[in-house]
Amino acid sequence: MKPSFKAPWWARSPHTQTIVPLLAQPNEQPLQWQRLDTPDGDFIDLAWLDYPRPEQPIVLILHGLEGSANSHYAKRILANAKSQGLAPVVHHHRNCSEQPNRLARSYHSGDTQDIALTLAHLQAEYPDSPIWAVGYSLGGNVLTKYLGEQGDNSAIQRAVVVSAPLQLSACAKRLEKGFSKVYQSYLIKQLQARVLHKLAQPELAAQMPLANDQVSQLTTFYQFDDKVTAPLHGFNGVDHYYQQASGLPYLKSITTPTLVLHAADDPFMTDAVIPTPAQLSESVEYELCQGGGHVGFIEGGTPWKPRFYLERRILSFLTGESQC
């Protein structure tokens, strides 16, 4: 379908679209935390507003890089999903909840094993509830890869992928250019702090692929993924990681009804993330908006109280409404 999103006059810049949501966040809501133990001795934390009632649809939320239930987009979709009678829950990637994870490893853009574990738990605990999912940025790439890997065996009935870096190598290079370097620096500092925290623990430091004095030298995603992400998660270097973890090749294998939403001006992306018609399965609806930035899609309001297209579009697709 033709995108109905249109940015207001004051939010036509991709950077306004990307940054204003960080500054105008909704209030936090009380969360109910649930911990799932993993087979390798670690844990995954889920954050609910309320646990599902029988047959109530569950909306599984996969956050982006260094995100959490407190990310602006997560807080908005939690509130909006609840207001529509759904049971939203945030799956926290390892090391992204309120407590550090136990192992040297963390999470990455192609890690589908952990969401498969969460989905198995949801199916077992709430067998009568349909499961829908929305993934943002890195979480959107993970969701895409999961759906493509599973095909007809997916535990998810409907899905939405937002601002996903479906071609990781191209996106990493994009973040080394222009104003996008600001976003890279902001996120890299958070990743460096998490690595230093693990290096400060002797039992974990011995398993880490680098030493303290090397962390500050990793100033780009390409460097960080080459020296930390790839070796910690079993890849043969950054190029192998980017090739294996990118979601783009998996779009063709998706059989779950899925909406993929991108902004053409996303400062985290290049045209390399835009699939061709031949790369899409019949189950995938692709929506490319001319504006929207990265996980922005402000359609009105004011800079202090923006109004968003994103939640309206996500929930209209998940609930099967024809009009967005």
Side-chain angles (χ1 to χ4, degrees), residues 59-314:
V59 179
L60 178 64
I61 302 161
L62 306 179
H63 63 77
L65 184 70
E66 293 302 284
S68 71
N70 289 323
S71 296
H72 65 87
Y73 51 84
K75 287 190 282 190
R76 292 200 313 271
I77 196 64
L78 281 165
N80 280 264
K82 182 180 180 181
S83 72
Q84 292 201 21
L86 309 174
V89 56
V90 179
H91 163 103
H92 286 81
H93 305 305
R94 300 192 197 200
N95 219 32
C96 288
S97 61
E98 294 179 332
Q99 295 182 4
N101 71 312
R102 301 177 187 130
L103 304 182
R105 65 149 293 180
S106 185
Y107 67 103
H108 62 83
S109 296
D111 184 4
T112 56
Q113 292 183 340
D114 282 355
I115 66 165
L117 183 68
T118 290
L119 287 163
H121 166 77
L122 296 178
Q123 287 183 307
E125 290 292 313
Y126 312 104
D128 299 324
S129 291
I131 301 173
W132 303 334
V134 53
Y136 298 86
S137 196
L138 175 146
N141 188 81
V142 174
L143 178 56
T144 301
K145 186 169 178 282
Y146 168 85
L147 294 169
E149 288 174 343
Q150 295 297 318
D152 292 337
N153 295 319
S154 170
I156 296 167
Q157 280 75 58
R158 295 183 73 84
V160 179
V161 172
V162 179
S163 299
L166 298 176
Q167 221 291 1
L168 294 170
S169 178
C171 294
K173 291 300 182 183
R174 174 69 177 88
L175 285 160
E176 295 178 14
K177 299 176 181 178
F179 190 82
S180 295
K181 290 189 289 187
V182 174
Y183 304 121
Q184 176 175 250
S185 177
Y186 172 76
L187 291 166
I188 285 290
K189 287 177 181 176
Q190 295 181 59
L191 292 169
Q192 288 174 334
R194 291 191 187 273
V195 170
L196 289 171
H197 182 267
K198 291 191 176 185
L199 286 168
Q201 303 172 67
E203 68 278 13
L204 297 184
Q207 304 170 46
M208 296 295 287
L210 76 173
N212 272 59
D213 58 359
Q214 296 174 284
V215 176
S216 62
Q217 300 171 27
L218 308 179
T219 59
T220 69
F221 281 116
Y222 196 89
Q223 292 169 341
F224 187 90
D225 288 335
D226 191 46
K227 301 301 181 184
V228 181
T229 310
L232 268 182
H233 299 96
F235 297 99
N236 299 320
V238 64
D239 294 325
H240 182 234
Y241 163 50
Y242 286 162
Q243 180 186 33
Q244 295 295 310
S246 291
L248 193 65
Y250 292 90
L251 290 170
K252 187 66 176 174
S253 303
I254 293 175
T255 60
T256 299
T258 300
L259 170 67
V260 178
L261 181 63
H262 273 145
D265 66 351
D266 191 325
F268 284 55
M269 311 290 172
T270 75
D271 288 351
V273 307
I274 301 174
T276 65
Q279 291 175 304
L280 298 174
S281 81
E282 294 182 356
S283 298
V284 176
E285 180 178 331
Y286 185 74
E287 184 173 320
L288 180 65
C289 300
Q290 291 308 302
H294 188 68
V295 198
F297 299 96
I298 299 168
E299 65 177 358
T302 68
W304 301 273
K305 195 174 181 181
R307 187 176 72 250
F308 294 89
Y309 171 77
L310 202 49
E311 290 72 41
R312 181 165 62 88
R313 183 68 181 106
I314 290 168

Side-chain angles (χ1 to χ4, degrees), residues 312-324:
R312 181 165 62 88
R313 183 68 181 106
I314 290 168
L315 292 171
S316 71
F317 185 85
L318 291 180
T319 58
E321 297 177 7
S322 59
Q323 179 62 42
C324 68

